[in-house]
Amino acid sequence: MIEIKNLSKFFSTENGDFAAINGINLRIEDGDIYGIIGMSGAGKSTLIRCINLLEKPSEGQILIDGLDITALEGRALLTLRRKIGMVFQRFNLLMQRTIRDNVAFPLEIAGVAKKQRLERVDELLEIVGLTSKAGSYPVQLSGGQQQRVSIARALANHPSLLLCDEPTSALDSLTTNSILKLLKDINHKLGVTIIIITHEIAVVEKICNKVAIIDESRIIEQGLVKDVISNPQQDVTKKLLERGELA
Ligand SMILES: Nc1ncnc2c1ncn2[C@@H]1O[C@H](COP(=O)(O)OP(=O)(O)OP(=O)(O)O)[C@@H](O)[C@H]1O
């Protein structure tokens, strides 16, 4: 379980400190697919970057199974990062490497021996349905296929948590559906907890069981997707449901 308690991140600007996220409280249970939805600049990416400690929070705690990860340093921090996979909007693949070598990259960094690496890459490419593309380069793949590679790479070190930052925003609607289905399968079959950032309610409706709405750096509403959709409490949530997105 992940408990986020009173989490804030301040950036210093010309006009003084600016809170990109402010007093965030969230509880994500094992096995959840938790959607975080909000408009541009609301603080979504900062929140997700704090969860994997790419940003150091200014205040508050992130407890994973009771351990406050904000206090981790050195080797303990590296070990934690391996247990958290990350999927980005723009895939972030290494263009000079084959698909096989892209997926193998985090295993190389973790010091996994070549034989085990190749076996694991084969398993991962099968999970994402890209076995036949192992020797291709990213440029030879469609956007949806490239996102599948990035999902395989994120799963390489058997993470228990997958953080997805707008994973379908660069994809058309048909491809979006296939990527969302893949994420749902991964959640079911591998038991990986997923946090997904989006500005589209359709993404939340398709795969999430819980949702939090973030507005101006604060969580303004959260709960089971079915409850929030059937009985929205805040004006921002009502607007989101009318328009389908918070752009
Ligand atoms: N390094 C930084 N220094 C100063 N301000 C920052 C920094 N990073 C983010 N911000 C500000 O914090 C706020 C939240 O940014 P963030 O990227 O988390 O929003 P977001 O909800 O992910 O937006 P988008 O959907 O456009 O990516 C924005 O106003 C942004 O300008």
Side-chain angles (χ1 to χ4, degrees):
M1 185 179 40
I2 304 163
E3 289 170 282
I4 297 175
K5 294 187 175 174
N6 252 320
L7 199 73
S8 299
K9 175 70 188 181
F10 305 111
F11 290 112
S12 21
T13 69
E14 284 171 7
N15 305 319
D17 275 0
F18 172 77
I21 53 170
N22 200 344
I24 301 275
N25 289 291
L26 279 180
R27 183 190 169 97
I28 295 139
E29 312 273 353
D30 291 347
D32 275 346
I33 305 185
Y34 206 117
I36 295 174
I37 186 162
M39 64 174 69
S40 183
K44 306 180 295 294
S45 298
T46 305
L47 174 58
I48 217 166
R49 288 169 61 80
C50 282
I51 296 175
N52 64 6
L53 299 179
L54 284 175
E55 290 290 357
K56 192 153 175 51
S58 311
E59 282 175 7
Q61 290 181 311
I62 303 168
L63 304 171
I64 300 190
D65 298 331
L67 174 76
D68 183 6
I69 63 164
T70 61
L72 295 182
E73 283 176 359
R75 189 169 288 273
L77 180 57
L78 284 180
T79 307
L80 169 91
R81 285 235 177 88
R82 279 189 201 131
K83 291 289 151 204
I84 303 179
M86 182 93 193
V87 175
F88 304 90
Q89 178 178 354
R90 300 241 157 245
F91 327 132
N92 293 8
L93 300 179
L94 298 164
M95 302 312 272
Q96 311 301 328
R97 281 183 160 228
T98 62
I99 300 314
R100 179 186 291 111
D101 289 347
N102 265 279
V103 178
F105 190 61
L107 299 165
E108 278 173 48
I109 306 262
V112 176
K114 187 166 183 190
K115 184 167 175 290
Q116 279 77 36
R117 246 173 23 221
L118 291 175
E119 282 171 9
R120 179 71 182 139
V121 170
D122 285 348
E123 269 173 30
L124 289 158
L125 289 179
E126 196 172 326
I127 291 171
V128 302
L130 284 181
T131 302
S132 64
K133 301 288 183 189
S136 302
Y137 286 86
V139 72
Q140 297 171 300
L141 268 54
S142 68
Q145 288 170 331
Q146 290 191 44
Q147 193 58 298
R148 283 171 183 268
V149 177
S150 108
I151 291 169
R153 178 184 58 186
L155 293 174
N157 284 309
H158 301 277
S160 47
L161 173 64
L162 196 58
L163 302 176
C164 304
D165 193 350
E166 301 263 10
T168 58
S169 294
L171 305 174
D172 63 50
S173 62
L174 216 60
T175 314
T176 291
N177 287 343
S178 82
I179 293 293
L180 294 178
K181 183 175 176 311
L182 174 63
L183 290 172
K184 198 161 191 171
D185 283 352
I186 286 165
N187 168 261
H188 277 297
K189 291 185 189 148
L190 307 180
V192 178
T193 303
I194 296 179
I195 300 178
I196 183 164
I197 279 186
T198 181
H199 60 272
E200 291 171 286
I201 193 70
V203 168
V204 170
E205 285 174 322
K206 275 178 194 142
I207 65 162
C208 299
N209 61 323
K210 294 182 191 149
V211 64
I213 292 109
I214 183 165
D215 186 47
E216 295 184 357
S217 318
R218 295 176 186 274
I219 301 286
I220 55 160
E221 187 155 0
Q222 60 181 298
L224 293 172
V225 170
K226 59 180 170 54
D227 293 343
V228 171
I229 285 178
S230 62
N231 190 19
Q233 300 295 310
Q234 303 294 327
D235 285 347
V236 172
T237 318
K238 289 175 192 163
K239 252 184 232 159
L240 166 69
L241 292 170
E242 273 164 28
R243 292 189 201 151
E245 63 177 2
L246 285 172

